[in-house]
Amino acid sequence: MSKKKIVFSGVQPTGNLHLGNYLGALKNFVSLQSKMQCIYCVVDLHAITTFQKPDELKKNVLETVASFLAAGLNPEKSIIFNQSAVPGHAELSWILNCVSRVGWLNRMTQFKDKAGSDKEKASVGLYIYPNLMAADILLYKATHVPVGADQKQHLELSRDIAQKFNNDFNCRDFFPLPEPLIQKNISRVMSLRDGTKKMSKSEESDYSRINLQDSADEIMKKIKKAKSDSEQIPDSLKSLENKPEALNLINIYSEISKVNLEKVLNEMSGKEYSFLKTKLAEILVSEITPIGKEIKKLLQDRSHLEAILKKGKRKASIIAEENLKNIREKVGLI
Ligand code: TYM
């Protein structure tokens, strides 16, 4: 087995990235790029598992690349490309559709959430989405996958698929079993309106999330309106057990200010949540608004972003083709 460490991760181009994407994934992408070979993919084939307006999809792909760069990804260090530009994703996905089991997919909670109450009407693509995700990772024989906690189950499935392929085709260690890299302190940023739901692009209210392109004014308003608690800030984490909104705000503050939770509680216990909110809004404005401004600036030069994708596609294709040759050989495809 190749001992080389390879990082792969993907982000869907479904519009405006938010604080959850940033803290759960992008920040980790950036810190890994100086340690390992990193491949970061704008997963447009995943996005179309729910209907996307074609013009918006094109725009969102470039916006996602701009967000990668603005967050600190360097195209000289990391391979940045869009999924549909490398046909190997679709080909391997088909092969893995034949390895993965219906029973495994039936357990995927994200499909149940996304398909809603009328599963008969969900696209077949949405159902087999986790197999495409496994293909993304295994096409590059990636060993490490930085993601938020919401992707953990999909990562476990990718490992099961890799293992079954290695067993079925009698090629022990052919695919490495990819390891999820999930942020320890803040693996799931929650909605600002409902602390039991993750912050998400699809939640209706824009007040539920901080978008990377929000203005200082918007960030301040959203934090001010965020649900918290009518009691004062407690001195122990235990007292926050049934207060998910308050815990979420404290978690976000702790992560961005790089002060651990206990210390934040020590400093703030006995104060009103409005005190925390003022500090949180300030620190968010100073960290997020420069990124938003950079995204907007980068979006003014489409050809620069397209050139990055093109170069990334060339580099990704070389690795993908080489691996696919061996995969076809293992499966018996001539
Ligand atoms: P996507 O586009 O929904 O999200 C991109 C990344 O952001 C993380 N994330 C969060 N982290 C913490 N708190 C949140 N509220 C939050 N919301 C989103 C996600 O965990 C993810 O890491 N299926 C994937 C994309 C994908 C992929 C892959 C990832 C396709 N192929 C292969 C890894 C490897 C998705 O829909 O992410």
Side-chain angles (χ1 to χ4, degrees):
M1 181 176 47
S2 142
K3 293 271 186 303
K4 196 170 170 210
K5 290 180 177 165
I6 298 178
V7 170
F8 181 95
S9 198
V11 175
Q12 290 198 59
T14 39
N16 239 336
L17 297 194
H18 52 71
L19 188 67
N21 301 124
Y22 179 66
L23 295 180
L26 288 183
K27 273 189 106 167
N28 217 0
F29 291 5
V30 174
S31 74
L32 287 164
Q33 70 179 346
S34 47
K35 299 181 193 142
M36 303 181 201
Q37 155 83 83
C38 291
I39 306 173
Y40 297 123
C41 184
V42 181
V43 290
D44 47 7
L45 296 176
H46 276 95
I48 62 170
T49 55
T50 56
F51 183 76
Q52 306 293 320
K53 292 188 182 144
D55 286 342
E56 268 177 37
L57 180 61
K58 284 184 193 156
K59 178 179 132 292
N60 287 337
V61 168
L62 295 186
E63 196 175 293
T64 308
V65 180
S67 306
F68 281 4
L69 302 180
L73 285 187
N74 177 349
E76 299 301 320
K77 288 188 182 163
S78 301
I79 298 178
I80 296 172
F81 72 108
N82 62 309
Q83 190 182 26
S84 62
V86 178
H89 290 255
E91 181 178 342
L92 181 55
S93 162
W94 181 257
I95 294 173
L96 299 184
N97 281 341
C98 303
V99 174
S100 181
R101 304 288 93 182
V102 171
W104 296 354
L105 288 179
N106 283 344
R107 284 197 286 275
M108 296 295 113
T109 54
Q110 204 160 84
F111 174 75
K112 291 177 193 157
D113 292 345
K114 285 199 176 171
S117 52
D118 198 353
K119 295 189 182 33
E120 299 277 311
K121 287 209 172 132
S123 73
V124 175
L126 190 66
Y127 181 64
I128 56 173
Y129 175 119
N131 295 343
L132 176 58
M133 202 167 142
D136 298 337
I137 298 165
L138 301 179
L139 185 58
Y140 301 94
K141 295 197 171 181
T143 53
H144 294 82
V145 184
V147 282
D150 61 319
Q151 298 298 320
K152 190 163 178 257
Q153 195 186 33
H154 289 161
L155 254 288
E156 280 157 8
L157 181 83
S158 298
R159 291 168 65 91
D160 289 343
I161 292 176
Q163 192 144 40
K164 186 167 186 327
F165 184 102
N166 292 348
N167 287 339
D168 287 356
F169 296 103
N170 205 9
C171 49
R172 214 172 141 234
D173 296 339
F174 178 74
F175 282 131
L177 306 188
E179 264 183 51
L181 297 177
I182 298 178
Q183 298 280 43
K184 276 203 195 72
N185 301 329
I186 194 146
S187 58
R188 195 186 293 266
V189 178
M190 308 312 275
S191 154
L192 301 178
R193 310 298 289 164
D194 176 351
T196 63
K197 286 195 196 151
K198 69 169 181 173
M199 184 177 283
S200 133
K201 299 171 199 170
S202 54
E203 194 175 328
E204 215 174 301
S205 167
D206 200 46
Y207 276 92
S208 67
R209 61 187 159 260
I210 303 288
N211 302 309
L212 295 186
Q213 293 187 64
D214 279 347
S215 66
D217 220 35
E218 283 167 322
I219 293 177
M220 285 188 298
K221 260 196 226 143
K222 286 179 178 179
I223 295 297
K224 199 166 172 191
K225 280 200 153 211
K227 269 199 184 169
S228 55
D229 193 46
S230 53
E231 289 175 17
Q232 291 165 340
I233 300 176
D235 59 4
S236 76
L237 270 176
K238 190 137 184 49
S239 321
L240 288 167
E241 260 171 16
N242 297 316
K243 301 176 191 276
E245 289 86 10
L247 178 62
N248 187 39
L249 294 180
I250 294 175
N251 257 328
I252 297 173
Y253 179 74
S254 155
E255 179 65 19
I256 301 207
S257 62
K258 299 190 180 75
V259 178
N260 73 39
L261 274 180
E262 283 75 15
K263 211 161 164 211
V264 173
L265 289 178
N266 267 343
E267 277 170 22
M268 297 205 179
S269 71
K271 298 202 162 71
E272 304 294 328
Y273 278 91
S274 55
F275 178 80
L276 166 70
K277 284 183 170 186
T278 309
K279 291 198 134 239
L280 177 59
E282 272 170 18
I283 199 160
L284 279 172
V285 167
S286 71
E287 174 131 357
I288 299 298
T289 55
I291 297 177
K293 283 185 193 143
E294 184 64 15
I295 296 174
K296 289 187 181 113
K297 193 175 122 202
L298 286 162
L299 283 173
Q300 284 166 13
D301 189 355
R302 255 181 92 107
S303 54
H304 172 60
L305 300 172
E306 283 164 354
I308 288 174
L309 285 177
K310 209 166 157 193
K311 193 165 158 200
K313 169 201 163 155
R314 273 204 302 273
K315 290 191 196 165
S317 298
I318 293 171
I319 310 174
E321 260 316 308
E322 179 63 27
N323 286 338
L324 260 179
K325 245 192 338 213
N326 295 329
I327 294 166
R328 291 188 197 111
E329 171 68 30
K330 294 282 175 227
V331 177
L333 303 171
I334 300 176

Short mmCIF file of all heavy atoms in Angstrom, two decimals, residues 165-189:
data_model
loop_
_atom_site.label_atom_id
_atom_site.label_comp_id
_atom_site.label_asym_id
_atom_site.label_seq_id
_atom_site.Cartn_x
_atom_site.Cartn_y
_atom_site.Cartn_z
N PHE A 165 -14.53 -3.56 -1.67
CA PHE A 165 -13.84 -3.63 -2.96
C PHE A 165 -12.55 -4.44 -2.78
O PHE A 165 -12.27 -5.37 -3.56
CB PHE A 165 -13.53 -2.22 -3.48
CG PHE A 165 -12.90 -2.20 -4.85
CD1 PHE A 165 -13.67 -1.89 -5.97
CD2 PHE A 165 -11.55 -2.49 -5.04
CE1 PHE A 165 -13.09 -1.88 -7.25
CE2 PHE A 165 -10.97 -2.49 -6.30
CZ PHE A 165 -11.75 -2.17 -7.40
N ASN A 166 -11.76 -4.09 -1.77
CA ASN A 166 -10.48 -4.79 -1.55
C ASN A 166 -10.70 -6.30 -1.34
O ASN A 166 -9.92 -7.12 -1.83
CB ASN A 166 -9.75 -4.21 -0.33
CG ASN A 166 -9.27 -2.78 -0.57
OD1 ASN A 166 -9.28 -2.30 -1.70
ND2 ASN A 166 -8.85 -2.11 0.48
N ASN A 167 -11.79 -6.63 -0.62
CA ASN A 167 -12.08 -8.06 -0.39
C ASN A 167 -12.58 -8.73 -1.65
O ASN A 167 -12.08 -9.78 -2.07
CB ASN A 167 -13.16 -8.24 0.69
CG ASN A 167 -12.63 -7.93 2.07
OD1 ASN A 167 -11.42 -7.96 2.29
ND2 ASN A 167 -13.52 -7.61 2.99
N ASP A 168 -13.59 -8.10 -2.31
CA ASP A 168 -14.22 -8.72 -3.49
C ASP A 168 -13.18 -9.00 -4.58
O ASP A 168 -13.26 -10.01 -5.26
CB ASP A 168 -15.29 -7.79 -4.08
CG ASP A 168 -16.55 -7.73 -3.21
OD1 ASP A 168 -16.61 -8.46 -2.21
OD2 ASP A 168 -17.46 -6.94 -3.55
N PHE A 169 -12.26 -8.05 -4.77
CA PHE A 169 -11.32 -8.20 -5.87
C PHE A 169 -9.96 -8.70 -5.39
O PHE A 169 -8.96 -8.62 -6.12
CB PHE A 169 -11.22 -6.88 -6.67
CG PHE A 169 -12.55 -6.54 -7.32
CD1 PHE A 169 -13.37 -5.56 -6.78
CD2 PHE A 169 -12.99 -7.26 -8.42
CE1 PHE A 169 -14.61 -5.27 -7.33
CE2 PHE A 169 -14.24 -6.97 -8.99
CZ PHE A 169 -15.05 -5.99 -8.44
N ASN A 170 -9.98 -9.18 -4.17
CA ASN A 170 -8.80 -9.85 -3.64
C ASN A 170 -7.54 -8.99 -3.76
O ASN A 170 -6.51 -9.44 -4.27
CB ASN A 170 -8.62 -11.18 -4.41
CG ASN A 170 -7.87 -12.19 -3.59
OD1 ASN A 170 -7.63 -11.93 -2.40
ND2 ASN A 170 -7.47 -13.29 -4.20
N CYS A 171 -7.67 -7.76 -3.38
CA CYS A 171 -6.52 -6.85 -3.48
C CYS A 171 -6.39 -6.07 -2.17
O CYS A 171 -6.71 -4.90 -2.11
CB CYS A 171 -6.66 -5.91 -4.67
SG CYS A 171 -8.28 -5.09 -4.79
N ARG A 172 -5.98 -6.78 -1.15
CA ARG A 172 -5.83 -6.19 0.18
C ARG A 172 -5.04 -4.90 0.10
O ARG A 172 -4.04 -4.82 -0.60
CB ARG A 172 -5.07 -7.21 1.04
CG ARG A 172 -5.51 -7.17 2.46
CD ARG A 172 -4.90 -8.32 3.24
NE ARG A 172 -4.56 -7.78 4.54
CZ ARG A 172 -3.39 -7.85 5.08
NH1 ARG A 172 -2.40 -8.44 4.46
NH2 ARG A 172 -3.18 -7.33 6.27
N ASP A 173 -5.53 -3.86 0.80
CA ASP A 173 -4.82 -2.57 0.86
C ASP A 173 -4.81 -1.79 -0.45
O ASP A 173 -4.06 -0.83 -0.58
CB ASP A 173 -3.36 -2.74 1.34
CG ASP A 173 -3.28 -3.27 2.75
OD1 ASP A 173 -4.28 -3.12 3.48
OD2 ASP A 173 -2.24 -3.83 3.11
N PHE A 174 -5.57 -2.23 -1.46
CA PHE A 174 -5.58 -1.47 -2.72
C PHE A 174 -6.12 -0.06 -2.47
O PHE A 174 -5.46 0.93 -2.78
CB PHE A 174 -6.44 -2.20 -3.76
CG PHE A 174 -6.53 -1.45 -5.07
CD1 PHE A 174 -5.44 -1.41 -5.94
CD2 PHE A 174 -7.70 -0.78 -5.43
CE1 PHE A 174 -5.52 -0.71 -7.14
CE2 PHE A 174 -7.77 -0.08 -6.62
CZ PHE A 174 -6.68 -0.05 -7.48
N PHE A 175 -7.32 0.02 -1.90
CA PHE A 175 -7.82 1.33 -1.49
C PHE A 175 -7.48 1.53 -0.02
O PHE A 175 -7.80 0.65 0.80
CB PHE A 175 -9.35 1.41 -1.63
CG PHE A 175 -9.84 1.61 -3.03
CD1 PHE A 175 -10.84 0.79 -3.55
CD2 PHE A 175 -9.33 2.63 -3.84
CE1 PHE A 175 -11.32 0.98 -4.85
CE2 PHE A 175 -9.81 2.83 -5.13
CZ PHE A 175 -10.80 2.00 -5.64
N PRO A 176 -6.86 2.63 0.33
CA PRO A 176 -6.70 2.90 1.76
C PRO A 176 -8.06 3.17 2.37
O PRO A 176 -8.98 3.60 1.67
CB PRO A 176 -5.84 4.17 1.80
CG PRO A 176 -5.81 4.71 0.42
CD PRO A 176 -6.37 3.69 -0.54
N LEU A 177 -8.23 2.88 3.67
CA LEU A 177 -9.51 3.21 4.32
C LEU A 177 -9.41 4.66 4.79
O LEU A 177 -8.63 4.96 5.70
CB LEU A 177 -9.78 2.27 5.50
CG LEU A 177 -9.72 0.77 5.17
CD1 LEU A 177 -10.21 -0.06 6.36
CD2 LEU A 177 -10.52 0.42 3.92
N PRO A 178 -10.19 5.56 4.14
CA PRO A 178 -9.99 6.99 4.42
C PRO A 178 -10.42 7.38 5.84
O PRO A 178 -11.45 6.93 6.33
CB PRO A 178 -10.90 7.67 3.39
CG PRO A 178 -11.89 6.63 2.99
CD PRO A 178 -11.23 5.30 3.14
N GLU A 179 -9.57 8.18 6.45
CA GLU A 179 -9.86 8.62 7.84
C GLU A 179 -10.50 9.99 7.84
O GLU A 179 -9.96 10.92 7.24
CB GLU A 179 -8.53 8.79 8.58
CG GLU A 179 -8.14 7.60 9.39
CD GLU A 179 -6.86 7.89 10.14
OE1 GLU A 179 -6.78 8.92 10.82
OE2 GLU A 179 -5.95 7.06 9.99
N PRO A 180 -11.62 10.14 8.54
CA PRO A 180 -12.20 11.48 8.65
C PRO A 180 -11.35 12.36 9.56
O PRO A 180 -10.83 11.87 10.56
CB PRO A 180 -13.58 11.23 9.29
CG PRO A 180 -13.47 9.89 9.95
CD PRO A 180 -12.40 9.12 9.24
N LEU A 181 -11.17 13.61 9.18
CA LEU A 181 -10.51 14.58 10.07
C LEU A 181 -11.58 15.57 10.47
O LEU A 181 -11.97 16.42 9.68
CB LEU A 181 -9.37 15.31 9.34
CG LEU A 181 -8.20 14.45 8.86
CD1 LEU A 181 -7.18 15.30 8.11
CD2 LEU A 181 -7.52 13.76 10.05
N ILE A 182 -12.09 15.41 11.69
CA ILE A 182 -13.21 16.25 12.14
C ILE A 182 -12.69 17.16 13.25
O ILE A 182 -12.02 16.68 14.18
CB ILE A 182 -14.38 15.36 12.62
CG1 ILE A 182 -14.88 14.53 11.42
CG2 ILE A 182 -15.52 16.20 13.21
CD1 ILE A 182 -15.99 13.56 11.73
N GLN A 183 -12.97 18.46 13.13
CA GLN A 183 -12.50 19.42 14.13
C GLN A 183 -12.95 18.97 15.52
O GLN A 183 -14.11 18.61 15.70
CB GLN A 183 -13.10 20.81 13.86
CG GLN A 183 -12.71 21.41 12.55
CD GLN A 183 -11.34 22.04 12.58
OE1 GLN A 183 -10.40 21.48 13.13
NE2 GLN A 183 -11.20 23.19 11.98
N LYS A 184 -12.03 19.04 16.48
CA LYS A 184 -12.37 18.54 17.82
C LYS A 184 -13.35 19.46 18.53
O LYS A 184 -14.36 19.04 19.07
CB LYS A 184 -11.11 18.43 18.66
CG LYS A 184 -10.38 17.14 18.41
CD LYS A 184 -9.49 16.77 19.59
CE LYS A 184 -8.53 15.69 19.16
NZ LYS A 184 -7.47 16.18 18.24
N ASN A 185 -13.05 20.76 18.52
CA ASN A 185 -13.84 21.66 19.36
C ASN A 185 -15.16 22.04 18.75
O ASN A 185 -16.15 22.22 19.45
CB ASN A 185 -13.03 22.92 19.67
CG ASN A 185 -11.75 22.55 20.36
OD1 ASN A 185 -11.71 21.56 21.08
ND2 ASN A 185 -10.69 23.31 20.12
N ILE A 186 -15.18 22.21 17.44
CA ILE A 186 -16.44 22.64 16.83
C ILE A 186 -16.69 21.86 15.55
O ILE A 186 -16.42 22.29 14.46
CB ILE A 186 -16.48 24.18 16.63
CG1 ILE A 186 -17.89 24.66 16.32
CG2 ILE A 186 -15.49 24.65 15.60
CD1 ILE A 186 -18.20 26.02 16.87
N SER A 187 -17.23 20.66 15.73
CA SER A 187 -17.42 19.78 14.58
C SER A 187 -18.75 20.07 13.90
O SER A 187 -18.99 19.64 12.79
CB SER A 187 -17.39 18.33 15.04
OG SER A 187 -18.39 18.12 16.00
N ARG A 188 -19.64 20.79 14.58
CA ARG A 188 -20.97 21.06 14.05
C ARG A 188 -21.41 22.43 14.55
O ARG A 188 -21.68 22.60 15.74
CB ARG A 188 -21.93 19.98 14.58
CG ARG A 188 -23.25 19.88 13.86
CD ARG A 188 -24.14 18.89 14.59
NE ARG A 188 -23.67 17.51 14.51
CZ ARG A 188 -24.07 16.65 13.59
NH1 ARG A 188 -24.95 16.99 12.69
NH2 ARG A 188 -23.60 15.42 13.58
N VAL A 189 -21.42 23.40 13.66
CA VAL A 189 -21.90 24.74 14.03
C VAL A 189 -23.41 24.71 13.88
O VAL A 189 -23.93 24.26 12.85
CB VAL A 189 -21.29 25.82 13.11
CG1 VAL A 189 -21.82 27.20 13.47
CG2 VAL A 189 -19.77 25.80 13.19
#
